[in-house]
Amino acid sequence: MAPHDIRRPFKRAAISDQQKRRELSLLRQAQNRRDAQQQARCLASSILSLQSAAPESQPEQSDIELETVPEAEPESEAFSKDLDVRQASKLRGPEVRKWFARQLMLPEWMIDVPDRLAQDWYVFARPAGKRCFVVSSNGTTVSRQRNGSILHHFPSALPAGAKIRDGSGSAQSYCILDCIFHELDQTYYVIDMVCWNGYSLYDCTAEFRFYWLNSKLEESGACNAPSHYHKFRFSAVPVYNCDQSGLHAAYTGVVPYAKDGLLFYNKHALYQTGNTPLALVWKDENCSQYVIDTDGKGEIPSQQQVVLELQDDRKLVTSDDPPVLFGCLDGDIIEKVWF
Amino acid sequence: MEVTQVLLNAQSIDGAVRKNAEDSLKQFQEQNLPVFLVSLSGELANEEKPVETRKLAGLVLKNALDAKEQHRKFELVQRWLSLDGNAKSQIKACLLTTLTSPVSDARSTASQVIAKVAGIELPHKQWPELIGSLLSNVHQLPAQAKQATLETLGYLCEEVSPDVIDQDQVNKILTAVVQGMSSSEGNTDVRLAATRALYNALGFAQANFSNDMERDYIMRVVCEATLSPEVRIRQAAFECLVSISSTYYEKLAPYIQDIFNITAKAVREDEEPVALQAIEFWSSICDEEIDILEEYGGDFTGDSDIPCFYFIKQALPALVPMLLETLLKQEEDQDQDEGAWNIAMAGGTCLGLVARTVGDDIVPLVVPFIEENISKPDWRQREAATYAFGSILEGPSPEKLIPLVNVALTFMLSALTKDPNSHVKDTTAWTLGRIFEFLHGSVVDSPIISQANCQQIITVLLQSMKDTPNVAEKACGALYFLAQGYEEMGPSSPLTPFFQEIVQSLLTVTHREDAGESRLRTAAYETLNEVVRCSTDETAPLVLQLVPVIMMELHNTLEGQKLSSDEREKQSELQGLLCGCLQVIIQKLGASEPTKYVFMQYADQIMGLFLRVFACRSATVHEEAMLAIGALAYSTGADFAKYMPEFYRYLEMGLQNFEEYQVCAVTVGVVGDISRALEEKIVPYCDGIMTQLLKNLSSNQLHRSVKPPIFSCFGDIALAVGEYFEKYLMWAMSALQSAAELSTHIAGDDELVEYTNSLRNGILEAYSGIFQGFKNSPKTQLLIPYAPHILQFLDGIYMEKDMDDVVMKTAIGVLGDLADTLGSHAGSMIQQSVSSKDFLNECLSSEDLMIKESAEWAKLAISRAISV
């Protein structure tokens, strides 16, 4: 008859570290396999849906977008566009860089004062830091920088942002936020909201998006201090109407983050990917530390250097974000430089 | 051939004689198996032969019927079944005769052989008269034959499964066994044999336990046997009770009060082997109730399979004091002896299970015991109090425990440094580990560790690592859980300021002269691994500094020459620990780009070391080194190609290791890592790898758990090499197809369902990889002929309705990949499949986001395939 052996390890850990290493390896391998397969599928599906998205009407490059709010796209199409962002957050390599570079709304330099500035525009102080897309879905949150690289992979209090048992938010819920990660206080400053709890805001005006952002973000608990299921704090930035007092507040007001210029958003503009004249950026030495180069000691060198990029069409642009057109070179010079 | 003499020689102390005898036995067996087996059984039955040769003859016979290894066992069964009928009858007759032999060793050997033959023949409806003839013995024969017969019935029940014997015969067996057990049986040996036989026969008694009268009778006889004057009978009877507690938990209610009284008496008064079984009864009840409560979450409805009777909760006021008493019965030196098992240990283990079963209710029953004993001069009382505290830390709610722990923590830290007794320190360190395991970290709202006491805790633990090996090992364990609690706490860990000191102390422990005792060295490395795993970016530079240190340690293990086999084993174990540590470091540093970049400067040297570790052995590869190489390949990416020429032979060796199937499985995983890292650069090695993998699939010697990952690995390779996979397509597809046919339907227990689902998942991952690999290649059309079968497989498993979520997700993904790769070629085929409609719709409306996503993908791909 089988004797009862010591069937319970006495005062011993239940699992061996070797077994743990084996299991972690298997998990990693399974994840990598999924990633590899997912990548193959995502490339296909994002190409498909980008093709279908291409003929979409590009908002006119005029500042009189105004009252005519375009009709919302059919629900399904909007959904598939958001889905792409989530899928694309799993892409890798150069594809991902291209993809993400295309997805953010990028401001142009403010070179003149738009009409109806006080009525139609918002202004806020831009936090200095890493611009990124934060996507929460399926119990995890991923932040992707403009170059597509993952900044953080973490649990958050955003809907669907952490694996918590209470099951609030259905499996389909997810969020996409346009953020700047501010190193100093390890906080994601949310400058725009693209998608919230499965609801797409691509086709909503900035006015509505900011309203939604301010009410929902707070509500979700994402602004709370970090905890186990919420690794980084999120925060909205104070947004002002662009009248004199608003401008003054944004320009000189004290904010908990280092400023990097002022951002101006047209209230009626939808979230448009890529550069748009409906979002503008202003920088000077009072509201940004990145206006003038300094050396290691913090002193300003006598000469300022600028890196210029020569584009295929012979245009010479700065490597600013967004680039500023400097001029155009003629063919002779290009050949001389080339050889 | 004179068997007797050969068998005698086979037991000679002279090696040469022995070898010679073994060779002749082998030769005899190969030349004429039936005659060989018949003469062995004749030897066993022959009363004139010496007892040693009879016993050995029986053993050789038994070994000709059964083997541990599955594959060999199957061969032996087939061989017996095809053996000449006359020979078999002669052998069986000899065996049955031997049961009545006056020589007890001969009888006992015959019992075991009969059970083996029965194990082969009864499932094939052969030897139908066996049970009848055994039962007739019981009633007619002298005591010793009766004892041997009951023993045979016991072994027989152990060998064959209950569905092989019909209820009528089961009833007769049980009647004979229970009669043999009853107090009216005057012969102790008979009663003992019957009690032990019942232990094995309990699994056959389903019907009898459902009948109140029969069950009452069996239970009464078992309980009476626990009061027998013979200690072995009492022990065997309690073993029956333990088995009944898990097999027939739901039938116990009417007896539980009596059983409590019996067990309590045994725990307090009886000899240790009996007392241990009595405690085991309650541990086993805890196991049952924990399972039931976990499964139903304490929420019982009429349709629950087995209701919880809350036996433990009801017995609590009497059970806990009984268990607390046992804690005071420690043995000296029990902490040094790894195999030690005594009443105090069993009692503490049971107390821990009780705490998990009832939760908060146990706390007020144990706290007075702790308070009363924790400061007593007698070490036994202090140790018992500490052990009681440590045992109840899992189960009760943090709200209930944290106030206690906040008070106890300072006391424990002081005891760990100051208590004069090593047992107390050992248990104190273990208890601290339990505190950190269950009450520290993100699961708890109010942290027990603050900035104020963190420093003290670490100082005490590091100090205790210099204590005796068993105490130091427990201190390492406590540190392990302390570090684990800070995992994912944020960008900054409270351990950061101590990181360097902790690592240094752990390395010092690994170098202790006595680190081989109490698995101290292993514990130190495991803790180091956990500290590294849970470290944050702040300490990444320190983890980087650890790389050359561990490399140097590994290098040092390679220096020794001419090692004895004992030294070689130690070397290999140490190499395993160091490779494991490097694996953890590689994974940690590889996870972020900046650290990976710096780490890569060591890649060449590390790989060189791993290759040298492999070279230390001739026949097998080192599993830990293999695991570490997988992590390295993942971090290095395509650059790993430069290591392949040298590494390849070990990879092949790992894939060929059927015996240590874990090694084989790990190596298969590494092939996947390498495929993803090298992509098309793996082509030169594909012939060898694919050949070996296909060979592994067709082998029935390889543990089945390795087969699903092999299929997944096909997918990894196909995705990596693209259309180059054409070369293997036919072979891979044929292996996949036959596995798919086998795994469409499942008939079996939960374990088989789980295995079949993992097999399906492997097959589907292979299909996905192959489709995706061939996509956009001019050779796509090669896959068209396989599409109907694949769709049929998808439809088949969908219709079975028993796939798990993982399979569902992979399956619907395959449908998308098939549509995406074959496009219009498969359009009409896809439209005809059930999968493209019902299955797809079911997945589209799934709650599981992964399934839904894959389904969205499949929908998109199908709509394109159909529209074009």
Side-chain angles (χ1 to χ4, degrees), chain B residues 130-423:
Chain B
L130 169 67
I131 293 172
S133 65
L134 286 174
L135 289 171
S136 66
N137 279 356
V138 174
H139 301 293
Q140 294 162 8
L141 290 162
Q144 55 197 20
K146 197 167 170 180
Q147 173 257 336
T149 305
L150 287 166
E151 206 175 302
T152 311
L153 286 170
Y155 289 136
L156 189 148
C157 290
E158 200 181 357
E159 281 305 319
V160 304
S161 83
D163 54 351
V164 167
I165 302 181
D166 58 326
Q167 187 60 40
D168 181 47
Q169 288 198 314
V170 169
N171 292 342
K172 286 181 184 153
I173 293 174
L174 283 171
T175 307
V177 167
V178 175
Q179 266 176 16
M181 268 181 85
S182 73
S183 46
S184 60
E185 172 59 56
N187 184 300
T188 303
D189 289 339
V190 172
R191 204 175 168 199
L192 179 62
T195 312
R196 288 180 174 167
L198 180 69
Y199 178 86
N200 288 323
L202 281 168
F204 291 70
Q206 292 288 350
N208 313 79
F209 262 81
S210 299
N211 177 314
D212 291 351
M213 232 173 61
E214 291 180 38
R215 186 183 62 240
D216 281 348
Y217 181 60
I218 296 173
M219 290 301 292
R220 203 189 74 217
V221 170
V222 174
C223 289
E224 278 172 11
T226 66
L227 306 172
S228 157
E230 167 58 43
V231 60
R232 289 174 300 159
I233 295 177
R234 293 201 302 278
Q235 184 187 348
F238 272 112
E239 283 172 0
C240 289
L241 278 182
V242 171
S243 171
I244 290 168
S245 71
S246 59
T247 317
Y248 301 108
Y249 168 83
E250 73 278 15
K251 308 281 188 207
L252 279 180
Y255 317 105
I256 201 78
Q257 183 62 50
D258 288 338
I259 295 176
F260 180 81
N261 294 338
I262 295 170
T263 50
K265 193 167 155 45
V267 169
R268 293 198 167 103
E269 297 167 16
D270 212 327
E271 292 179 44
E272 187 169 69
V274 184
L276 285 176
Q277 289 305 321
I279 296 173
E280 181 63 30
F281 173 84
W282 292 101
S283 291
S284 167
I285 295 284
C286 288
D287 284 344
E288 290 303 311
E289 296 196 343
I290 289 169
D291 279 356
I292 296 170
L293 294 171
E294 258 175 21
E295 192 159 341
Y296 300 108
D299 180 24
F300 293 106
T301 53
D303 49 52
S304 303
D305 283 355
I306 297 175
C308 184
F309 287 96
Y310 298 102
F311 293 138
I312 298 295
K313 205 177 160 86
Q314 288 162 32
L316 209 56
L319 184 60
V320 170
M322 173 186 97
L323 293 172
L324 290 172
E325 274 175 47
T326 65
L327 303 187
L328 293 157
K329 299 183 180 170
Q330 306 96 327
E331 288 175 306
E332 300 277 354
D333 300 333
Q334 66 181 26
D335 293 321
Q336 275 83 47
D337 178 5
E338 291 213 26
W341 186 244
N342 55 45
I343 294 185
M345 290 170 160
T349 304
C350 188
L351 191 66
L353 288 166
V354 172
R356 287 177 53 203
T357 314
V358 302
D360 287 359
D361 291 351
I362 199 171
V363 177
L365 295 170
V366 175
V367 167
F369 179 84
I370 301 171
E371 286 171 347
E372 195 193 320
N373 291 291
I374 194 92
S375 307
K376 283 282 161 65
D378 181 358
W379 73 264
R380 287 174 188 279
Q381 288 175 285
R382 297 198 306 279
E383 198 276 340
T386 315
Y387 189 25
F389 186 46
S391 298
I392 62 163
L393 289 169
E394 187 187 8
S397 62
E399 295 74 42
K400 193 89 182 171
L401 291 172
I402 282 179
L404 292 175
V405 167
N406 281 330
V407 177
L409 196 54
T410 318
F411 186 93
M412 296 276 158
L413 291 171
S414 151
L416 186 51
T417 39
K418 300 206 186 83
D419 200 288
N421 183 278
S422 175
H423 292 289

Side-chain angles (χ1 to χ4, degrees), chain A residues 139 151 217 310:
Chain A
L151 180 60
L217 192 68
L310 179 60

Side-chain angles (χ1 to χ4, degrees), chain B residues 763-776:
Chain B
I763 295 166
L764 293 165
E765 285 185 331
Y767 286 143
S768 263
I770 292 171
F771 278 123
Q772 290 173 357
F774 273 79
K775 203 192 159 191
N776 298 330

Side-chain angles (χ1 to χ4, degrees), chain A residues 179-218:
Chain A
C179 295
I180 292 170
F181 182 68
H182 187 253
E183 286 283 351
L184 221 61
D185 60 357
Q186 297 280 306
T187 297
Y188 280 96
Y189 286 94
V190 185
I191 59 167
D192 211 332
M193 180 177 272
V194 181
C195 214
W196 185 259
N197 212 351
Y199 180 68
S200 172
L201 296 158
Y202 270 105
D203 304 309
C204 300
T205 60
E207 199 166 13
F208 182 78
R209 295 199 309 273
F210 287 170
Y211 159 73
W212 206 246
L213 190 164
N214 274 304
S215 55
K216 293 297 167 187
L217 192 68
E218 184 65 44

Side-chain angles (χ1 to χ4, degrees), chain A residues 17 32 90 96 208 235-236 240 244 275 282 293 305:
Chain A
D17 197 68
N32 294 345
K90 294 167 193 155
V96 80
F208 182 78
S235 177
Y240 305 97
Q244 196 152 10
N275 282 104
W282 172 264
D293 276 346
Q305 291 182 353

Side-chain angles (χ1 to χ4, degrees), chain B residues 406 409 436 440 446-454 457 482 486:
Chain B
N406 281 330
L409 196 54
F436 302 147
H440 153 62
S446 50
I448 49 161
I449 303 174
S450 60
Q451 225 169 355
N453 61 13
C454 190
I457 291 169
L482 183 71
Y486 288 125

Side-chain angles (χ1 to χ4, degrees), chain B residues 86 159 207 216 247 305 349 391 437 463 631 636 664 714 755:
Chain B
N86 276 332
E159 281 305 319
D216 281 348
T247 317
D305 283 355
T349 304
S391 298
E437 182 176 3
Q463 180 64 33
T636 346
C664 188
F714 282 178
Y755 174 73

